[in-house]
Amino acid sequence: MFKKVVWPLVSASALILALVFVFGFVTSIIISGGEADVQTETQTESPENIPEEVMPPDGASDILILGDSIGFGVGDEENLGIGERYLDLLEEDSETDTTITNSSVPGFESSQLADLIESGENRTSIAGAELIILSIGGNDLNRLNLEDNVTLAPAFEEALNIYKEDLTFILSEIRSINPDAQLAIIGLYNPYSEDDPQNARFLLDWNHETRLIVNSDAAFAYIPTYELFTYHLDAYLSPDDFHPNGMGYQVIAETLFRILNYSTN
Amino acid sequence: MDTSVLKVSHLKKLIQKKLIIEDVSFDIQAGEIVGFLGPNGSGKTTTLRMIVGLSTPTSGDVEICGYSLKKEFVKAMSNVGCIIEGPDLYDYMSGYRNLELLASMSKDVTKKDIDEAVALVGMENRIHDKVAVYSMGMKQRIGLAQALIHKPRLLILDEPTNGLDPQGIHEFREIVKNLAREKNISVLISSHLISEVQLMCDRVSIINNGRIIRSASIDDALVTGEVVWTLDDPQKAQLLLKSTFKVEAAIAGHTLRATVDPERLSEINNTLIASGFDITYVEHKKRTLEDLFLSLTDKHTI
Amino acid sequence: MIALVRNEVMKILLKKKMPLIMILLLIFVGLLSYGQNYAYERNIDQFEAESGETAFDWQGLTTQRLDELEERSQNEAIPGEVRASFDREIEQLNYFIENDINPVTPTAAKFNVSFAEQGITLFIPLLIAILAADLVSSEFSRKTIKILLTRAVPRWKVLLSKYIALLIMTTLLVFIIGITTTLVSYLFFQEWGFSEPIVTGFTLFEGTLNSDSTILIPRYQYTLLIYSLVWFVSIIVASITLLISLIVDTSASAIGILMAALIGGQFLQFFLSDWELVKYFFVTNLDLTRYLTGSYQPVEGMSLNFSILILSVWAIGSIAISFIVFNRRDVLV
Ligand SMILES: Nc1ncnc2c1ncn2[C@@H]1O[C@H](COP(=O)(O)OP(=O)(O)O)[C@@H](O)[C@H]1O
Ligand SMILES: [Mg+2]
């Protein structure tokens, strides 16, 4: 019984299934594409996509993005982020061979960015950049959600003071390395619109302080997002209800583009 | 050309830095039943494991039918059937399925061979029951059958009668004896039971503390060379033996005891008769295997 | 050799492992699909109660999303590749509307994939371990290794036959998992959903997910792809379990060690995700399906190819060590 029925059945079906699975497995590998394959492909199409490691030794990218998850592009379905989207807008106008380096680290707070810059790790990319986009502060502020009502106000004051110090430090460091680059900082929007009016106040104070620091430098732009997002949270936020989605990043990039470039058109 | 079915030379085994077997050598000829006698823990199973390739000797060689176990494992093992430390079978299968499974691992074993082996061990009636429900005796029979299906020239049985009742022991013994006699299969049986070896074996190797301390045919092993004469005048005979043959003899009642070379025994008897002694009885004294065993193993305990 | 493999398959079947695995699988799948169906119906009810509508208006929502996408795809300012990915979503949504299928209804095709995605790191390896764990250790604990290794067959052949038998059973088991999840969940959902289109083919670029290369394929093909990955992972787990089963004496400890490695590996991944070495651990790489769904936060330097490579190295290493250990091992039972 086993020899005559079960075994032929078992072995034959296992063989057929194995062939099918091998086929599916190979297909999976092909459609997911090797990382290496994609790189070579994209490189020929769009030279601006060359990652930092394979850059020619002479220098850094033209656009450098520093900061947190929003700088990184978390939530963007197309994974372009502000930088790529900005670049796409730029290319509509004129052919460029601008390159981007994205050194953002999701979760970064202002103090961590200050440490990173102080460490000198990004010195070459800062020195070579024409445009440096900063996105920082959101995590400093967001951490306060853990505080209770009594400690919230003093905690906010403290966080804001630290942030101001860090941002001032970051600005002066960048300027000491690269006095000429155009800087831009992405302002904060309120992902919790209706929740708590107190929160909104804090956020506006925060943005206000950022603006004051931005104002102290001649080539530093503030990119407002609060107003852009307020009435369109559903449309602009990704499913995590915190980070922007592709559309959100697109409007930020468009605003950035308008603020920095419209006059040249 | 060496005709040994099994040739074991200078086996040595260290387990966890302890010397379990030191320098074991013996060999077995075709059709011989050899007993491997030794007290519990003397190293019988450890030696047999090395002979059937379950463990690797620290040094030494095993040759089966002229094939080195180390270099030609497959050829060597195709001539061996064994039960090492109890007949362990797949108890979730029937006895027959066990045999089928093991038979398929050897070349050219037919269904007929399996049926023959089953008939030989007298298990026809229960062969399709699950092994889990077998008695110890039945398992031992299937164990023997699985050792025989591929028609080996050497059978290695490690304490095969352990756990059998007297009836079972008797039947098992008869089966093994028949195998050696009719199929010319050599058998190596380990045992700590002297009676078993004495009843079954042609030769015996005695092992103690990992060393072979005596290898001989059963008869030779038992002869002590002591002769007892029952005769009319022991005192006179004692003097005669001393003066003519330089043999010291002791007197006990009407008997005279002396240790003599068996080859000189007839000469001595003839002289005694010629000298007019009235001999009623001459006995060639054998000791029991037990005596031998005890005397040998005693000396070697540490 | 074929006879040896057949023997080993027979042993696995007679040891009644498959019924045990089937029972575990049925309980698990039954509970999960019942739960999913229950949650879905409750959500719909809740939605209807809140919106005051008599029926959940999925067409309305889908059409709305469709219009929005079409509008954006007209936008000249949006780059070409991005537009292509909008177009794929539009195509997908069109299918749902044309075929009058609510995109959020649970279907058997969705369930079998999500079961594979969820199970691939723990549950499926557990089932494989039940199959593989006593492959060698039970021969030792039942002492039957003695009759197996005193045949005129070299040891490596004995182990190879066991390994091939394990591969055969693993392959069948993956198929059984797929069939069971599909059939049982169909009982609850009453929807197959195998022809619905789905987006896949995300690639990694510069450490981020790239959807430019995505393609739209029907669900049945997608299921096949996912289960092929599950199959690969299962074979890796089986190979590693074989080694564990060879080193320890009982199947219980073999399953225990494997489970400890799987759960410990996930802890490691969770707490020490920054640690470079973690990504070379096999457990960290088991979750291959996420590379197809694109639903993950990419980890620096990890991709489908990387994970496949690491897993293969682990499996080949395990097999090599297994053969060496098995060949040399003294059988003292
Ligand atoms: N697995 C093992 N590890 C360590 N020592 C062992 C092992 N197996 C047997 N021994 C030792 O080897 C000696 C001989 O054992 P064994 O060959 O089983 O004896 P026998 O079969 O003659 O009763 C014993 O002293 C025993 O303690
Ligand atoms: Mg013993």
Side-chain angles (χ1 to χ4, degrees):
Chain A
M1 159 66 184
F2 175 82
K3 230 171 174 174
K4 293 220 174 69
V5 184
V6 181
W7 165 246
L9 209 66
V10 164
S11 50
S13 47
L15 190 69
I16 293 168
L17 285 170
L19 289 177
V20 172
F21 284 143
V22 167
F23 170 75
F25 182 64
V26 172
T27 314
S28 303
I29 295 179
I30 291 171
I31 64 167
S32 301
E35 202 173 2
D37 291 354
V38 177
Q39 269 182 12
T40 45
E41 254 171 47
T42 344
Q43 263 172 28
T44 48
E45 275 171 22
S46 43
E48 74 279 354
N49 278 349
I50 302 169
E52 201 176 10
E53 305 88 77
V54 294
M55 287 242 308
D58 65 326
S61 314
D62 306 326
I63 300 177
L64 172 66
I65 307 171
L66 292 170
D68 52 22
S69 50
I70 293 171
F72 188 82
V74 173
D76 190 341
E77 304 88 346
E78 280 95 18
N79 274 291
L80 298 169
I82 297 167
E84 296 282 350
R85 287 173 190 275
Y86 173 74
L87 198 60
D88 285 327
L89 294 168
L90 214 53
E91 278 174 352
E92 308 246 305
D93 283 354
S94 55
E95 281 297 303
T96 62
D97 52 356
T98 314
T99 59
I100 299 182
T101 301
N102 193 340
S103 302
S104 306
V105 182
F108 249 29
E109 295 186 1
S110 61
S111 58
Q112 289 166 301
L113 181 59
D115 291 345
L116 179 75
I117 290 178
E118 194 177 10
S119 76
E121 234 174 85
N122 295 67
R123 183 165 271 273
T124 28
S125 22
I126 292 174
E130 282 172 14
L131 168 62
I132 300 175
I133 303 171
L134 295 169
S135 166
I136 198 69
N139 293 309
D140 300 49
L141 189 58
N142 207 39
R143 185 162 42 87
L144 299 176
N145 285 347
L146 303 173
E147 302 288 337
D148 58 38
N149 282 336
V150 187
T151 55
L152 184 58
F156 171 75
E157 285 303 327
E158 195 191 332
L160 182 57
N161 282 331
I162 293 174
Y163 167 73
K164 285 194 311 197
E165 270 176 38
D166 287 334
L167 187 59
T168 316
F169 173 78
I170 291 166
L171 177 61
S172 69
E173 278 291 299
I174 290 178
R175 278 297 173 233
S176 73
I177 301 169
N178 184 341
D180 305 321
Q182 171 69 48
L183 306 185
I185 186 163
I186 311 298
L188 302 186
Y189 58 86
N190 185 2
Y192 319 105
S193 61
E194 306 109 37
D195 276 4
D196 185 3
Q198 180 72 12
N199 266 345
R201 261 212 58 116
F202 283 154
L203 204 117
L204 290 174
D205 280 354
W206 191 279
N207 279 345
H208 179 66
E209 293 296 337
T210 309
R211 277 199 153 105
L212 291 180
I213 296 171
V214 165
N215 205 36
S216 69
D217 186 281
F220 199 173
Y222 178 84
I223 312 301
T225 57
Y226 186 91
E227 295 76 6
L228 293 175
F229 275 63
T230 302
Y231 297 110
H232 307 286
L233 284 181
D234 284 345
Y236 290 168
L237 287 192
S238 66
D240 67 9
D241 278 335
F242 185 76
H243 294 107
N245 58 14
M247 228 198 269
Y249 280 112
Q250 186 67 27
V251 295
I252 297 177
E254 280 166 11
T255 311
L256 177 69
F257 179 73
R258 214 166 290 139
I259 288 176
L260 294 185
N261 300 289
Y262 238 54
S263 57
T264 64
N265 254 7
Chain B
M1 183 69 206
D2 196 350
T3 57
S4 315
V5 172
L6 172 68
K7 194 166 146 68
V8 174
S9 33
H10 308 293
L11 276 193
K12 195 171 130 186
K13 180 74 182 174
L14 279 163
I15 299 180
Q16 288 154 15
K17 300 198 176 135
K18 250 177 66 192
L19 193 56
I20 305 288
I21 300 296
E22 45 179 314
D23 201 28
V24 165
S25 305
F26 58 86
D27 53 53
I28 299 179
Q29 306 301 316
E32 244 184 347
I33 304 184
V34 175
F36 194 37
L37 185 63
N40 281 328
S42 54
K44 301 182 296 291
T45 305
T46 309
T47 308
L48 297 187
R49 276 204 192 104
M50 291 190 280
I51 294 175
V52 297
L54 286 177
S55 73
T56 325
T58 309
S59 67
D61 275 322
V62 175
E63 236 176 61
I64 297 164
C65 297
Y67 298 114
S68 153
L69 188 71
K70 217 188 304 175
K71 295 185 194 113
E72 291 170 289
F73 180 85
V74 173
K75 279 185 180 160
M77 286 309 290
S78 60
N79 291 303
V80 184
C82 63
I83 311 177
I84 303 290
E85 279 212 323
D88 295 296
L89 299 157
Y90 298 100
D91 54 13
Y92 48 86
M93 299 182 203
S94 70
Y96 194 77
R97 196 159 252 180
N98 267 282
L99 294 182
E100 258 184 345
L101 188 146
L102 295 169
S104 71
M105 296 181 73
S106 304
K107 278 203 183 75
D108 308 326
V109 180
T110 60
K111 200 169 154 9
K112 205 170 131 256
D113 296 327
I114 301 178
D115 293 338
E116 261 176 37
V118 172
L120 187 81
V121 297
M123 276 293 293
E124 296 98 323
N125 293 331
R126 301 288 303 275
I127 195 68
H128 291 288
D129 292 358
K130 274 230 168 70
V131 169
V133 304
Y134 284 175
S135 70
M136 186 64 197
M138 292 157 113
K139 280 187 195 166
Q140 195 64 263
R141 283 160 190 248
I142 300 290
L144 189 59
Q146 71 67 32
L148 289 171
I149 35 176
H150 54 295
K151 303 207 163 78
R153 291 179 57 198
L154 172 66
L155 198 55
I156 293 179
L157 307 172
D158 186 22
E159 316 228 12
T161 55
N162 272 6
L164 297 190
D165 56 17
Q167 171 73 19
I169 293 178
H170 178 75
E171 286 175 8
F172 194 85
R173 196 185 292 146
E174 291 311 309
I175 293 173
V176 172
K177 275 184 171 174
N178 275 339
L179 280 173
R181 206 178 314 131
E182 285 163 19
K183 307 210 161 154
N184 203 31
I185 296 180
S186 314
V187 187
L188 175 61
I189 298 185
S190 86
S191 180
H192 64 278
L193 295 173
I194 293 147
S195 55
E196 192 166 286
V197 172
Q198 204 161 0
L199 283 169
M200 266 202 262
C201 304
D202 308 318
R203 288 204 297 135
V204 64
S205 284
I206 300 176
I207 183 173
N208 193 30
N209 285 326
R211 281 173 175 279
I212 297 280
I213 49 180
R214 181 85 197 256
S215 270
S217 76
I218 291 282
D219 290 336
D220 287 351
L222 298 184
V223 170
T224 55
E226 202 178 39
V227 181
V228 180
W229 291 269
T230 311
L231 72 184
D232 50 354
D233 193 348
Q235 279 85 5
K236 215 172 135 194
Q238 186 187 28
L239 291 174
L240 180 72
L241 286 182
K242 184 157 189 181
S243 58
T244 321
F245 299 102
K246 305 219 162 32
V247 171
E248 290 289 348
I251 297 168
H254 279 287
T255 62
L256 186 68
R257 250 169 213 276
T259 307
V260 297
D261 188 340
E263 283 171 13
R264 294 177 67 195
L265 189 57
S266 59
E267 192 193 341
I268 295 173
N269 283 343
N270 288 338
T271 314
L272 285 174
I273 289 166
S275 312
F277 287 100
D278 185 6
I279 303 173
T280 38
Y281 198 63
V282 182
E283 191 185 4
H284 200 161
K285 193 81 181 167
K286 278 188 182 177
R287 48 185 165 183
T288 60
L289 192 50
E290 190 162 357
D291 290 336
L292 172 70
F293 186 64
L294 290 178
S295 71
L296 286 172
T297 53
D298 258 3
K299 266 185 266 167
H300 287 83
T301 44
I302 304 155
Chain C
M1 193 67 210
I2 290 177
L4 294 185
V5 176
R6 190 183 60 211
N7 288 346
E8 294 302 329
V9 169
M10 179 169 78
K11 285 184 206 166
I12 297 175
L13 289 178
L14 288 179
K15 269 190 282 192
K16 305 259 187 311
K17 291 283 162 199
M18 290 315 252
L20 171 69
I21 292 174
M22 282 304 291
I23 289 169
L24 277 177
L25 197 59
L26 283 174
I27 292 176
F28 221 67
V29 172
L31 283 176
L32 276 182
S33 40
Y34 173 79
Q36 216 178 63
N37 201 36
Y38 176 79
Y40 169 72
E41 276 169 7
R42 229 184 46 162
N43 278 345
I44 297 284
D45 286 349
Q46 214 168 8
F47 185 86
E48 284 167 3
E50 272 177 19
S51 62
E53 289 171 34
T54 45
F56 173 56
D57 179 24
W58 63 269
Q59 278 112 332
L61 291 175
T62 312
T63 319
Q64 201 180 329
R65 172 82 184 145
L66 203 56
D67 292 346
E68 190 182 298
L69 282 170
E70 266 161 4
E71 196 179 310
R72 288 179 67 190
S73 126
Q74 313 283 305
N75 188 347
E76 293 292 315
I78 287 174
E81 313 92 67
V82 181
R83 209 174 306 139
S85 88
F86 287 157
D87 290 345
R88 279 186 293 274
E89 197 178 342
I90 290 170
E91 202 181 320
Q92 195 182 9
L93 292 178
N94 269 331
Y95 173 90
F96 288 120
I97 292 191
E98 276 161 23
N99 292 281
D100 198 22
I101 298 165
N102 178 353
V104 296
T105 3
T107 65
K110 275 184 209 162
F111 183 81
N112 67 20
V113 166
S114 61
F115 185 84
E117 281 169 16
Q118 299 305 315
I120 197 166
T121 50
L122 204 60
F123 187 66
I124 295 174
L126 173 70
L127 297 184
I128 302 291
I130 292 177
L131 204 62
D134 68 351
L135 204 61
V136 179
S137 60
S138 80
E139 299 271 4
F140 276 90
S141 58
R142 290 173 197 266
K143 302 187 176 187
T144 44
I145 190 76
K146 289 181 297 184
I147 47 173
L148 201 60
L149 293 187
T150 51
R151 303 279 132 189
V153 176
R155 284 198 187 184
W156 66 265
K157 268 195 186 172
V158 173
L159 188 60
L160 184 63
S161 67
K162 280 185 174 295
Y163 186 56
I164 294 176
L166 178 60
L167 294 187
I168 288 177
M169 295 313 289
T170 305
T171 305
L172 290 180
L173 180 58
V174 171
F175 179 67
I176 289 171
I177 292 173
I179 291 293
T180 314
T181 50
T182 308
L183 292 183
V184 171
S185 61
Y186 179 75
L187 285 183
F188 286 100
F189 305 152
Q190 302 292 322
E191 289 285 351
W192 292 115
F194 273 109
S195 46
E196 288 173 16
I198 181 168
V199 178
T200 186
F202 298 87
T203 49
L204 268 184
F205 180 67
E206 281 185 35
T208 55
L209 270 182
N210 184 355
S211 53
D212 297 352
S213 57
T214 48
I215 48 170
L216 210 56
I217 58 172
R219 277 250 173 212
Y220 71 87
Q221 284 181 13
Y222 187 63
T223 300
L224 176 68
L225 295 185
I226 292 285
Y227 274 84
S228 301
L229 293 181
V230 170
W231 174 72
F232 178 77
V233 167
S234 300
I235 282 177
I236 304 292
V237 172
S239 310
I240 295 172
T241 315
L242 180 75
L243 172 64
I244 300 173
S245 146
L246 227 155
I247 291 172
V248 300
D249 287 339
T250 65
S251 50
S253 9
I255 294 181
I257 291 175
L258 187 76
M259 284 294 114
L262 289 174
I263 296 168
Q266 266 152 33
F267 267 122
L268 218 64
Q269 198 178 357
F270 188 74
F271 289 114
L272 297 172
S273 52
D274 298 341
W275 191 23
E276 177 79 355
L277 274 184
V278 170
K279 70 178 182 193
Y280 297 106
F281 190 41
F282 79 92
V283 176
T284 326
N285 291 290
L286 284 183
D287 196 0
L288 291 185
T289 54
R290 63 191 180 142
Y291 295 115
L292 276 194
T293 55
S295 62
Y296 70 107
Q297 266 296 308
V299 175
E300 181 68 40
M302 280 177 78
S303 65
L304 182 63
N305 288 2
F306 173 83
S307 289
I308 288 174
L309 185 74
I310 295 291
L311 290 177
S312 308
V313 168
W314 273 83
I316 292 169
S318 300
I319 293 303
I321 299 174
S322 299
F323 274 90
I324 294 171
V325 169
F326 193 70
N327 248 340
R328 294 204 182 146
R329 183 163 181 179
D330 266 1
V331 179
L332 296 174
V333 290

